[in-house]
Amino acid sequence: MKKFLSIGILASLLYGCGPGNTGELTGVPGRRSFSEPTPLGMVFIPMGSFTLGSNDQDVAWAINAPTKTVSVDAFWMDQTEITNNQYRQFVYYVRDSIARRLLGEINDEFLITEDQFGNPLDPPVLNWEVPIDMEDEEQREVLNALYYSKEDELFGRKEIDTRKLFFEYYWIDIKQAAQKRNRYNYETLSYDQGEVINSLGEKVKVDNRQSFIMRDKVNVYPDTLCWVADFTYAFNEPYTNSYFWHPAFDNYPVVGVTWKQATAFCIWRTQTLNKFLAPEGITIQDYRLPTETEWEYAARGNLNHSMYPWGGPYTRNMEGCFLANFKPLRGNYVDDGGLIPIPVGTYEPNDYGLYDMAGNVAEWTANAYDESAYSFMHDMNPDYKYNTKPSDLPALKRKVVRGGSWKDISFFLQVGSRTYEYQDSAKSYIGFRCVRSYLGAK
């Protein structure tokens, strides 16, 4: 009894001497300070306001980019477009994860079925610590499902069937969850509506957060045939054969990726870093595609009313050299130094340190395209998104593309020019780069 009494007295003394027990409002003790380090390959874009929209005559009289003063929060942005080799890391992850899932059917060592407390995991998690042994005949037999069949082999080469490289991902539709009709009513302890139609057109019961978790699956391999499909009567087969996979093109911007593939890449990139930081109890803001306002703000490089990222109204410098990779003259693609995309970072960066914000390849943004979007978007962090349903008309599947490309004339290189492409289209002249919102203020 004395022993338990002594322990009780000691515990009360420790509690009495503990931090935060002063009777004053001190906040939760033990919270670490956090200063966000610069992400690898990204540059910091400070918050600010600028004049969104065209800085030249609207020669087509499209009236799709009227000027408007807006403000944007701070964020990180990739210094260059995502390269072939960077995107290949994503493709290899998907390939290896499918392989481990297949091997898990014959060997449970490739799957983690319980958490650290012994609770079953449903579904199981992949175990990346166990190596794949290609000398093992049983494992090799299972992994044959990933390769082309004998009928599809070319010259007897054993190659991965890229049509099987699917990545399943999900995101939370916060905008839908924030709508008043979908919120939990704490007075009646229920939702205002029993069922809603989610962003994918599915009828779901509104009873928990799962109703707003959107799931999708996409093939991650770039469309290498886009080099031939995009151009009629042009010999581009060598790019189809080698542009994505050959080491000679490792530092070139990835192309042939759809908007959905680029979105999936951002989600995978977030998951990859969060898994690495998890033991330290740290998470980061999501990697994502930039809004078109963020893209334009970053492309201007703090030069508010300039037509191009380098500041002036011309596409040549004082020596007469072109300042970006685009189509400078009729039929003459090479006068700027490149016929197709060239290695990222070849030309000088803008004042924020960002490369190729004009030319080389055009870039996907997060926003849906609407000609009148500037008239109804908010002036604080403007944003217009639309999650399409399979049954939607093609016009609703348009996504904003910015920056112009190696095959475009200079008009599309202007920071205020906006155009679109369909979200399920893969083009030889469209790539992307990621952004990440900044934590706190700076």
Side-chain angles (χ1 to χ4, degrees):
M1 187 67 181
K2 285 184 179 179
K3 182 179 179 182
F4 288 113
L5 184 60
S6 300
I7 293 174
I9 294 171
L10 180 61
S12 64
L13 287 173
L14 289 173
Y15 180 78
C17 297
N21 190 27
T22 62
E24 298 291 345
L25 185 64
T26 59
V28 177
R31 300 279 292 174
R32 292 188 302 174
S33 61
F34 178 77
S35 178
E36 188 172 13
T38 300
L40 181 65
M42 288 188 146
V43 297
F44 178 72
I45 311 297
M47 64 180 178
S49 62
F50 74 107
T51 303
L52 176 72
S54 177
N55 294 115
D56 195 13
Q57 293 179 338
D58 189 2
V59 291
W61 202 245
I63 321 178
N64 68 346
T67 57
K68 176 179 182 177
T69 301
V70 297
S71 296
V72 179
D73 209 348
F75 58 95
W76 303 99
M77 190 175 209
D78 280 328
Q79 200 166 16
T80 68
E81 296 136 344
I82 297 298
T83 65
N84 283 322
N85 204 30
Q86 290 171 329
Y87 191 85
R88 194 177 297 115
Q89 183 181 348
F90 176 40
V91 174
Y92 281 10
Y93 168 85
V94 173
R95 178 201 64 185
D96 295 345
S97 62
I98 295 174
R100 289 178 182 279
R101 188 76 59 188
L102 290 171
L103 291 171
E105 297 177 3
I106 63 166
N107 186 346
D108 57 9
E109 289 184 355
F110 288 96
L111 299 176
I112 300 174
T113 57
E114 293 182 348
D115 63 17
Q116 56 182 328
F117 304 108
N119 301 315
L121 293 173
D122 186 24
V125 178
L126 296 178
N127 185 0
W128 291 90
E129 301 299 323
V130 179
I132 296 175
D133 183 9
M134 292 304 293
E135 301 297 324
D136 186 290
E137 186 175 343
E138 187 179 19
Q139 290 189 22
R140 198 164 60 245
E141 184 66 28
V142 170
L143 293 179
N144 278 337
L146 268 176
Y147 293 88
Y148 284 109
S149 65
K150 286 289 184 183
E151 293 76 14
D152 287 336
E153 283 184 1
L154 185 62
F155 301 119
R157 293 200 299 261
K158 199 172 182 66
E159 299 173 308
I160 296 290
D161 188 347
T162 58
R163 297 169 298 182
K164 298 179 179 179
L165 300 181
F166 278 88
F167 178 67
E168 189 171 359
Y169 62 101
Y170 62 88
W171 74 97
I172 298 178
D173 190 345
I174 295 177
K175 282 185 168 58
Q176 181 175 255
Q179 293 179 14
K180 188 176 180 180
R181 68 174 185 270
N182 295 336
R183 295 203 188 189
Y184 191 75
N185 190 327
Y186 286 95
E187 294 181 0
T188 62
L189 300 181
S190 64
Y191 286 87
D192 291 339
Q193 289 188 353
E195 290 182 341
V196 296
I197 304 297
N198 69 16
S199 296
L200 298 179
E202 304 162 337
K203 184 179 286 188
V204 295
K205 289 185 177 180
V206 183
D207 55 3
N208 51 40
R209 189 170 69 164
Q210 185 180 359
S211 305
F212 308 109
I213 297 177
M214 307 294 109
R215 301 179 186 275
D216 208 346
K217 181 187 276 190
V218 64
N219 185 283
V220 301
Y221 202 81
D223 180 8
T224 55
L225 289 170
C226 65
W227 288 100
V228 176
D230 288 346
F231 304 96
T232 305
Y233 302 115
F235 180 65
N236 290 333
E237 282 84 343
Y239 306 134
T240 288
N241 293 334
S242 59
Y243 182 84
F244 177 64
W245 71 267
H246 199 282
F249 294 100
D250 273 0
N251 205 36
Y252 284 61
V254 67
V255 296
V257 292
T258 66
W259 181 88
K260 294 184 74 172
Q261 287 174 318
T263 301
F265 176 91
C266 296
I267 292 173
W268 164 81
R269 187 176 178 182
T270 303
Q271 292 174 344
T272 300
L273 186 54
N274 274 337
K275 286 178 183 177
F276 178 78
L277 297 175
E280 301 179 24
I282 300 173
T283 58
I284 49 103
Q285 294 275 26
D286 292 347
Y287 288 101
R288 53 184 175 80
L289 294 176
T291 65
E292 67 166 316
T293 310
E294 288 174 329
W295 193 97
E296 183 173 327
Y297 176 62
R300 290 182 179 276
N302 206 28
L303 301 174
N304 199 1
H305 297 288
S306 297
M307 286 172 56
Y308 298 102
W310 46 82
Y314 306 111
T315 55
R316 296 178 186 259
N317 62 13
M318 296 291 289
E319 288 74 35
C321 301
F322 285 106
L323 295 167
N325 178 22
F326 66 112
K327 185 180 179 180
L329 301 167
R330 181 175 295 180
N332 187 347
Y333 291 82
V334 301
D335 212 31
D336 54 26
L339 174 62
I340 60 167
I342 58 178
V344 297
T346 299
Y347 290 93
E348 291 296 314
N350 71 0
D351 284 0
Y352 281 146
L354 297 167
Y355 293 90
D356 301 318
M357 295 302 284
N360 213 18
V361 294
E363 299 176 16
W364 291 114
T365 70
N367 289 136
Y369 180 84
D370 189 290
E371 291 84 348
S372 59
Y374 286 10
S375 64
F376 59 77
M377 286 196 302
H378 206 284
D379 59 3
M380 181 184 72
N381 293 323
D383 185 32
Y384 168 57
K385 293 187 178 75
Y386 179 77
N387 295 322
T388 59
K389 300 181 286 291
S391 59
D392 280 334
L393 295 172
L396 296 175
K397 298 179 180 180
R398 298 180 298 178
K399 303 298 181 186
V400 176
V401 174
R402 289 299 201 107
S405 74
W406 58 272
K407 64 94 186 168
D408 291 319
I409 60 174
S410 60
F411 170 79
F412 295 100
L413 272 63
Q414 295 180 21
V415 289
S417 294
R418 59 195 300 256
T419 184
Y420 67 87
E421 190 51 72
Y422 298 97
Q423 66 180 37
D424 51 359
S425 296
K427 300 295 183 181
S428 60
Y429 45 85
I430 300 179
F432 69 101
R433 72 180 79 205
C434 303
V435 299
R436 200 174 94 189
S437 296
Y438 184 77
L439 285 163
K442 186 173 182 179

